[in-house]
């Protein structure tokens, strides 16, 4: 809110926005730029946003001259390294009052009917996507402005077919393992179930872990370049083996996603940013050399059967966001090789030696849009053949 005019006079009125259905509507947390959490009312795509704007004069008996009062519903992307520009993808305006004078406290009703909210609210390392209402009392010298944020979640639904991920990786004549994850697409409360099977072990492995890595790519066209940024964050890390494995040994994997701060996978959001998730399998030998293989997975937000507030629960297949990947609505970047749609047929690849930590990645190490795993070959060995 604008607190002070150019001539040092404080504002003469307070603005308060009260949204309809506050008692029954759910709320959700979202991070601020400083990393703190704020809680706001939760909305979905296609829901109406309505309420009242209350304007209270600070001095009873005084009057407030204005050039009009309006309210805006705005969806906006802010890139933290380009703060001078705000990229609006949704902008709706309603006039509340014509130019005139306010002689007393006044309330105005407003309604934005069936508003499109195509993307999910998000705050990351280098980007923020937010939805907010902005009330403006237009004045000759200084406007009085009030902003109120809301949180938007995008719902999606996947068909029953969800291919597992199965792959054989290794280092020629040294190590040959097969890993399998039960699915390639997981909802945010899902459980990742898998196993690691050792086919050949000729190096002394002493430790194995699995991590969930979030990769945020921001910039023009979401491609790696001078005006783009790539940020990796390790969301969770599990030790799944301690000690030397032997040939034929099988190690189970079970990772519960519900306890972590995850978002749906976001691809090329308004050509400004992407958020993708990877499972990172890391093995360490007795000389502390680390070998790893990253596998992309797709995360999605599951629609609830019923929901309080806003009337009837929205069908999760309605207004399917085009940036989410579903079984029937696939939007694929031809320059991106996604591991998330691997079929059951196992492939054979070389494992990689970790030189730079995957969580500390330079743009030059990644593929066109950061989609390829940040890996450098251990040596120029051909991949192993399946036993």
């Amino acid at each position: 809110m604008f607190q002070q005019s150019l001539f040092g006079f404080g504002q003469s009125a307070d603005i308060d926005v009260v949204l309809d259905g506050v008692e029954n509507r759910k709320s959700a947390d979202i991070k601020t730029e400083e990393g703190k959490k704020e809680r706001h009312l939760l909305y979905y795509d296609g829901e109406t946003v309505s309420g009242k704007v209350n304007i209270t004069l600070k001095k009873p008996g005084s009057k407030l001259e204005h050039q009009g009062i309006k309210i805006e519903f705005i969806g906006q992307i802010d890139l933290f390294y380009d703060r001078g520009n705000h990229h609006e993808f949704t902008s709706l305006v309603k006039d509340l009052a014509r130019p005139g004078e306010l002689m007393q406290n006044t309330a105005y009703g407003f309604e934005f009917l069936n508003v499109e909210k195509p993307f999910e609210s998000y705050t990351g390392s280098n980007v923020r996507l937010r939805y907010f209402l902005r009330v403006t009392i237009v004045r000759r010298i200084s406007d009085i402005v009030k902003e109120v944020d809301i949180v938007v979640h995008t719902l999606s639904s996947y068909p029953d077919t969800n291919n597992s991920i199965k792959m054989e990786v290794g280092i020629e004549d040294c190590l040959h393992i097969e890993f399998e994850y039960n699915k390639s697409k997981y909802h945010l409360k899902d459980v990742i179930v898998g196993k690691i099977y050792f086919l050949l072990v000729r190096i002394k492995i002493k430790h194995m872990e699995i991590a969930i890595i979030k990769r945020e790519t921001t910039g023009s066209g979401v491609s790696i370049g001078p005006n783009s940024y790539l940020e990796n964050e390790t969301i969770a890390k599990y030790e799944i083996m301690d000690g030397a494995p032997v040939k034929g040994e099988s190690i189970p994997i079970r990772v519960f996603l519900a306890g972590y701060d995850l978002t749906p996978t976001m691809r090329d959001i308004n050509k400004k940013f992407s958020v993708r998730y990877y499972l990172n399998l890391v093995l360490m030998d007795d000389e502390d050399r680390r070998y790893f293989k990253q596998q992309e997975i797709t995360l999605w937000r599951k629609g609830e059967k019923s929901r309080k507030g806003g009337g009837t629960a929205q069908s999760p297949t309605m207004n399917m966001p085009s940036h989410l990947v579903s079984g029937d609505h696939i939007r694929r970047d031809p320059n991106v090789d996604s591991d998330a749609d691997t079929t059951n047929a196992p492939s054979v690849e070389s494992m990689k030696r970790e030189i730079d930590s995957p969580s500390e990645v330079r743009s030059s190490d990644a593929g066109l849009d950061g989609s390829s795993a940040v890996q450098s070959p251990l040596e120029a060995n051909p991949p192993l053949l399946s036993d």
Side-chain angles (χ1 to χ4, degrees):
M1 187 185 296
F2 196 93
Q3 297 288 343
Q4 197 80 5
S5 72
L6 296 175
F7 298 97
F9 299 106
Q11 64 183 28
S12 52
D14 286 328
I15 302 173
D16 185 35
V17 179
V18 180
L19 292 165
D20 289 340
V22 173
E23 302 82 6
N24 298 321
R25 183 169 293 277
K26 288 185 178 181
S27 57
D29 290 329
I30 191 166
K31 287 194 300 184
T32 64
E33 292 184 40
E34 296 77 24
K36 299 179 181 179
K37 285 190 176 182
E38 292 182 345
R39 197 161 187 84
H40 300 291
L41 292 179
L42 176 63
Y43 287 82
Y44 297 87
D45 183 27
E47 283 193 317
T48 295
V49 180
S50 61
K52 285 186 178 181
V53 175
N54 299 317
I55 299 178
T56 305
L57 300 179
K58 285 196 170 182
K59 294 182 179 179
S62 63
K63 65 179 180 179
L64 174 64
E65 295 184 3
H66 62 85
Q67 306 303 310
I69 304 173
K70 64 180 180 180
I71 185 169
E72 301 167 89
F73 180 86
I74 296 174
Q76 178 176 289
I77 297 174
D78 298 321
L79 300 172
F80 296 160
Y81 55 83
D82 186 22
R83 293 181 181 273
N85 295 317
H86 303 293
H87 307 279
E88 293 183 1
F89 55 87
T90 296
S91 181
L92 303 172
V93 184
K94 289 188 180 294
D95 292 323
L96 300 178
R98 296 179 178 180
E101 294 180 347
L102 288 181
M103 307 296 294
Q104 59 186 1
N105 299 340
T106 309
Y108 300 96
F110 68 90
E111 182 181 54
F112 293 100
L113 190 64
N114 301 330
V115 187
E116 285 190 13
K117 310 174 198 71
F119 310 124
E120 175 143 340
S121 300
Y122 175 75
T123 303
S125 301
N126 294 310
V127 65
R128 176 175 63 167
L129 189 152
R130 61 187 287 240
Y131 294 86
F132 60 97
L133 294 162
R134 178 194 290 151
V135 180
T136 305
I137 302 175
V138 182
R139 306 186 69 194
R140 290 181 180 178
I141 299 176
S142 61
D143 295 343
I144 303 175
V145 180
K146 171 78 171 184
E147 292 183 355
V148 174
D149 283 78
I150 65 171
V151 174
V152 171
H153 283 174
T154 55
L155 305 179
S156 56
S157 178
Y158 286 89
D160 294 335
T161 56
N162 190 351
N163 293 329
S164 63
I165 300 173
K166 189 173 184 179
M167 188 174 294
E168 295 180 13
V169 296
I171 307 160
E172 190 174 23
D173 297 329
C174 297
L175 179 67
H176 191 184
I177 67 174
E178 178 183 276
F179 66 82
E180 181 176 3
Y181 304 118
N182 62 328
K183 293 185 286 188
S184 56
K185 303 178 179 72
Y186 298 89
H187 62 78
L188 299 183
K189 306 297 183 182
D190 217 334
V191 181
I192 298 174
V193 178
K195 67 176 182 178
I196 309 294
Y197 187 69
F198 289 86
L199 303 174
L200 175 68
V201 183
R202 290 179 180 170
I203 57 177
K204 294 182 179 179
I205 301 296
K206 68 174 184 179
H207 175 77
M208 182 164 63
E209 65 186 24
I210 190 170
I212 302 173
I213 294 177
K214 181 176 82 170
R215 179 167 299 156
E216 175 189 290
T217 312
T218 54
S220 54
V222 203
S223 60
I224 298 301
N227 296 321
S228 61
Y229 293 82
L230 178 64
E231 193 75 28
N232 285 266
E233 178 185 354
T234 300
I235 302 295
K237 186 181 292 186
Y238 288 92
E239 181 181 81
I240 56 178
M241 187 192 72
D242 186 16
V246 296
K247 180 179 178 180
E249 188 168 1
S250 180
I251 307 295
I253 297 173
R254 188 176 293 268
V255 180
F256 293 85
L257 299 180
Y260 299 102
D261 186 15
L262 300 169
T263 69
T265 295
M266 305 179 187
R267 303 181 191 232
D268 199 13
I269 301 299
N270 212 43
K271 298 190 181 301
K272 297 300 177 186
F273 73 96
S274 292
V275 179
R276 305 172 80 155
Y277 290 87
Y278 296 83
L279 293 177
N280 190 43
L281 180 65
V282 181
L283 286 76
M284 182 183 295
D285 66 15
D286 59 352
E287 297 180 10
D288 290 336
R289 290 177 298 193
R290 295 164 66 89
Y291 310 91
F292 70 98
K293 174 62 182 175
Q294 288 188 355
Q295 188 76 32
E296 185 181 0
I297 57 173
T298 298
L299 299 184
W300 55 284
R301 188 179 297 280
K302 188 176 181 181
E304 299 179 7
K305 293 183 179 179
S306 61
R307 189 174 71 240
K308 293 182 180 179
T312 305
Q314 174 184 336
S315 171
T317 57
M318 292 177 60
N319 303 312
M320 173 66 71
S322 60
H323 62 284
L324 291 175
V325 180
S326 75
D328 301 318
H329 300 73
I330 296 178
R331 179 182 177 183
R332 185 182 299 282
D333 187 336
N335 297 316
V336 176
D337 292 326
S338 172
D339 291 329
D341 298 308
T342 306
T343 60
N344 278 317
S347 59
V348 183
E349 294 188 7
S350 296
M351 286 206 75
K352 307 298 179 179
R353 167 93 174 272
E354 182 174 316
I355 296 177
D356 298 314
S357 170
S359 60
E360 301 172 358
V361 179
R362 300 183 301 271
S363 296
S364 59
D365 293 324
L368 184 61
D369 71 339
S371 62
S372 21
V374 183
Q375 302 166 341
S376 52
L378 176 62
E379 25 183 73
N381 288 334
L384 287 174
L385 297 176
S386 176
D387 283 349

